[in-house]
Amino acid sequence: MVTGDQLSSTEKKRLRDRRGQKRLREKRESHIQALERQVATCKQHHGADRTGNLISVVNQLYRENEALRARHERLRAVLMDDPSSHPLSIGNVEPATLSISLPPTQQSSEPERHSDQIADLATSPSQPEAHSSDTDSGDQLSPEAWYLVPMSTTQANQIAFPGNSMWLEYPDLISACPTNPSPLDLLHGTRRNFLADQIHRSLRQRAIRDAECLAIGWQLYHFSKWLVMPDPTTFARISQYLRPIRPQLQVDHPRAIDLVFWPQVRANLLKNWTSYDFVDVMGYMSCCTKLRWPWGKPILERDEDDELQMRGDYFETFTRESAWGLTSEFIERYPELLEGMDVESIRFRLGPPNSTEQV
């Protein structure tokens, strides 16, 4: 065996080079293995689909944050104009309670006080009287509670409608839309009114008549305007039966529940909406919701400027809860959603061509 002392200087240099190259190879292999493990972890936890979903959620949260900031500025401006006459000064309602769209963990700090405040504002003598045949709306908010927006977080909507992009994600575009939509825009779509066009696109995916399409579209339009720009004026344009009930302010839920016409159905859905195939329930309900308006009877008429507008009797009809019904198919499939209601009064029965109830 040749020892180090017996090696020549040239051989010693070669030995040092071989040892250095060996250490370099080992270091390079170790670094490559670490990089491979890092790439595998990234592929597992940060794939293209997951990254896309995260970006979508981040963008939606950003838009919601901007809408909340704008809403806060509007409310603060109103308070600074005349704090003594503003609804927020009623009882013990504090500005902090406006954050009802926050996650449930941030809502539970003062649940009893929040419930009491909502109960105090649930009814008011200034509330317009409901139609005698309509459902009792005593649990609904009064006009003084126009700022209490239903609790509906991004998480709840992602669970119900994964990857779905709705018009409410664009509050800035909705704010720029006209106060009232053109009936023709809701029926046929338009490039001039973002909100009316989005509602038209959504409703035309359902098998519904023009009578239901225009009536539902009109209601969705004004409800959406109130959600984005809550003030007494936008709230007043919402039909009484669509005004929120107390559970909508206390339970996190998909926004689609807020657009169900019957307050009691909304209350029943809020109890356990996660136990349903929610997309199936809402899709089935949209097709089974019928307006008691005769087939073939016009819903539009020309005004003095020869422009097509809604008939007055048609408008008065669809703004009453009693004018809406559900077909037997939905009632028999989801009977538990009509608990606490007079089922026969809401049942829509098919009739002959000259009757009110027909399709």
Side-chain angles (χ1 to χ4, degrees):
M1 180 176 179
V2 179
T3 62
D5 296 337
Q6 297 174 327
L7 296 176
S8 64
S9 58
T10 302
E11 291 173 336
K12 290 180 180 180
K13 183 177 182 302
R14 290 175 179 173
L15 181 61
R16 287 195 300 271
D17 291 343
R18 285 196 296 270
R19 290 174 178 173
Q21 291 173 0
K22 182 180 179 181
R23 287 194 296 271
L24 184 62
R25 286 194 300 271
E26 292 175 348
K27 184 177 180 181
R28 183 169 58 248
E29 290 175 359
S30 176
H31 183 61
I32 291 174
Q33 292 175 357
L35 291 176
E36 289 176 345
R37 288 193 296 270
Q38 185 176 355
V39 170
T41 301
C42 290
K43 287 182 178 180
Q44 180 180 357
H45 300 286
H46 305 286
D49 294 339
R50 183 176 177 84
T51 301
N53 290 337
L54 289 175
I55 292 175
S56 176
V57 171
V58 169
N59 289 336
Q60 185 172 350
L61 289 172
Y62 173 79
R63 287 190 290 268
E64 289 181 359
N65 188 49
E66 290 300 308
L68 288 173
R69 286 182 179 178
R71 182 180 305 167
H72 172 74
E73 291 299 323
R74 288 194 296 270
L75 292 175
R76 188 173 67 172
V78 173
L79 282 171
M80 293 181 66
D81 286 343
D82 188 2
S84 62
S85 63
H86 196 267
L88 294 178
S89 63
I90 296 177
N92 295 322
V93 181
E94 300 175 4
T97 63
L98 293 177
S99 303
I100 60 175
S101 292
L102 294 175
T105 54
Q106 300 182 36
Q107 291 290 327
S108 58
S109 59
E110 297 177 334
E112 295 181 359
R113 188 186 70 170
H114 184 63
S115 299
D116 293 341
Q117 293 163 353
I118 296 172
D120 293 339
L121 293 170
T123 56
S124 170
S126 61
Q127 181 99 348
E129 290 187 8
H131 191 270
S132 58
S133 61
D134 290 347
T135 302
D136 179 17
S137 57
D139 199 39
Q140 292 176 280
L141 301 184
S142 69
E144 286 77 9
W146 55 263
Y147 53 88
L148 292 176
V149 178
M151 180 191 297
S152 181
T153 66
T154 300
Q155 182 178 7
N157 284 284
Q158 287 292 327
I159 293 173
F161 302 104
N164 189 52
S165 176
M166 300 181 70
W167 58 84
L168 290 174
E169 297 179 10
Y170 305 94
D172 52 336
L173 297 180
I174 295 177
S175 300
C177 292
T179 300
N180 290 310
S182 163
L184 295 179
D185 290 347
L186 292 171
L187 286 172
H188 305 294
T190 177
R191 297 179 181 177
R192 299 174 299 177
N193 188 328
F194 166 79
L195 179 56
D197 188 65
Q198 290 296 308
I199 292 175
H200 158 77
R201 292 172 183 268
S202 176
L203 292 178
R204 284 310 186 187
Q205 297 177 14
R206 309 297 182 186
I208 56 178
R209 300 182 298 164
D210 281 356
E212 281 90 16
C213 181
L214 179 55
I216 294 173
W218 186 271
Q219 306 279 35
L220 298 189
Y221 189 94
H222 287 291
F223 194 87
S224 301
K225 293 284 283 185
W226 170 67
L227 288 177
V228 172
M229 301 182 296
D231 59 44
T233 303
T234 55
F235 188 78
R237 296 193 183 99
I238 303 174
S239 295
Q240 179 151 341
Y241 56 81
L242 259 183
R243 293 178 181 179
I245 56 177
R246 279 175 284 177
Q248 290 173 249
L249 311 179
Q250 302 164 331
V251 179
D252 189 18
H253 59 274
R255 183 62 73 193
I257 293 180
D258 299 326
L259 305 175
V260 174
F261 287 164
W262 299 273
Q264 186 59 51
V265 176
R266 295 200 297 270
N268 294 336
L269 262 175
L270 288 167
K271 294 177 182 177
N272 56 351
W273 66 267
T274 55
S275 63
Y276 291 94
D277 181 339
F278 192 76
V279 175
D280 182 66
V281 171
M282 299 310 298
Y284 208 69
M285 182 183 294
S286 68
C287 295
C288 295
T289 298
K290 302 298 180 182
L291 177 66
R292 293 183 169 94
W293 183 259
W295 181 269
K297 184 176 181 179
I299 59 177
L300 300 178
E301 61 183 3
R302 293 194 178 275
D303 59 17
E304 55 187 18
D305 297 324
D306 203 32
E307 298 290 339
L308 285 172
Q309 302 295 340
M310 282 191 294
R311 290 172 56 106
D313 54 347
Y314 170 70
F315 180 82
E316 292 176 1
T317 298
F318 75 72
T319 51
R320 296 198 311 265
E321 181 184 343
S322 58
W324 293 95
L326 285 168
T327 62
S328 297
E329 289 81 2
F330 184 88
I331 294 174
E332 293 169 2
R333 185 168 180 173
Y334 301 104
E336 69 280 3
L337 293 182
L338 280 79
E339 290 182 0
M341 302 178 65
D342 182 354
V343 176
E344 294 310 312
S345 68
I346 198 176
R347 188 187 301 273
F348 185 93
R349 296 177 176 82
L350 303 182
N354 61 347
S355 69
T356 300
E357 297 197 6
Q358 55 184 289
V359 292

